[in-house]
Amino acid sequence: MEKRYSDSKSSKTPVIIICIAAILIIAAVVVFIVFNNSKKENSTNGTESTFASSTVLAETTIDTQAETTSRDSQPQTTTAAAISTTSTNQQNETTEKVVVPTKSTESGKCFNATYAPYKAIDTYTNSECSLKEVFGSSYLNGTVTFNSDGTFTDTLTQSSSNSGAYAVEGKNISATYSDDKNMSIKVNSWDGDTPSEIVIDYAGYDVYFNM
């Protein structure tokens, strides 16, 4: 009787060991699965955090660049305005400083017109000559422009004094360069209040201009 009981007890021992081993294996599998899921979630959260940080950094960089561009463009606008103001001031100074000698107290109205030379006459020989002969190698094929504010510019030659002031006197125009050189201009024909053809005496040469 005792022998049968012992045999039955011995036969149950391996079954118990197998069950315990199976439980341990299942528990290990469950722990492994839970650990892997936790690791994946941490990895995903880290990626999202990195992406969010990159996005914030990119937006901050764009905002900084835009602010820098805005600041850089402001001084340029100010500089352009300053240059324009300086140019206007210089023109006003030219008008104020240059004194045009006139023969009468009444002068005609100023006008806006640009004239180009088309022929030259040697007053000593009364023969036509080239404009190169009159102005020399510095001739630029330029023009003479009169402005309604009483100033004029002369771009016929390369000269440091190519501007000044003028006054209309009857059929003539008296002009003075910024270096105080006077110039007498004869008006041959008019188009309303504006001369259509003028003649300027350049040191013994009559140079004809038209619009």
Side-chain angles (χ1 to χ4, degrees), residues 83-147:
I83 291 174
S84 178
T85 303
T86 302
S87 177
T88 303
N89 291 339
Q90 288 177 346
Q91 188 172 13
N92 291 336
E93 288 176 2
T94 300
T95 307
E96 292 175 0
K97 290 180 179 179
V98 177
V99 178
V100 182
T102 56
K103 296 178 181 179
S104 62
T105 56
E106 295 183 3
S107 296
K109 295 181 180 179
C110 296
F111 55 91
N112 274 320
T114 298
Y115 302 88
Y118 68 92
K119 74 174 182 178
I121 301 295
D122 186 337
T123 57
Y124 294 104
T125 62
N126 201 30
S127 59
E128 188 170 344
C129 57
S130 68
L131 295 172
K132 276 284 187 180
E133 183 178 341
V134 178
F135 299 108
S137 59
S138 61
Y139 179 56
L140 299 176
N141 292 316
T143 59
V144 177
T145 300
F146 296 90
N147 305 306

Side-chain angles (χ1 to χ4, degrees), residues 37-55:
N37 289 337
S38 176
K39 188 175 181 180
K40 287 180 180 179
E41 289 177 359
N42 290 337
S43 177
T44 303
N45 292 336
T47 303
E48 292 176 353
S49 176
T50 303
F51 177 78
S53 300
S54 301
T55 304

Side-chain angles (χ1 to χ4, degrees), residues 53 56 91 138 160 162 167 171 176:
S53 300
V56 172
Q91 188 172 13
S138 61
S160 58
N162 62 350
K171 294 183 179 181
T176 302

Side-chain angles (χ1 to χ4, degrees), residues 12-24:
K12 290 180 179 180
T13 299
V15 175
I16 294 172
I17 292 173
I18 291 172
C19 290
I20 292 173
I23 291 171
L24 290 176

Side-chain angles (χ1 to χ4, degrees), residues 179-199:
D179 62 355
D180 293 331
K181 177 184 175 182
N182 295 323
M183 178 171 59
S184 178
I185 305 170
K186 180 183 177 182
V187 179
N188 276 354
S189 59
W190 294 79
D191 182 6
D193 293 332
T194 303
S196 57
E197 183 184 62
I198 60 175
V199 181

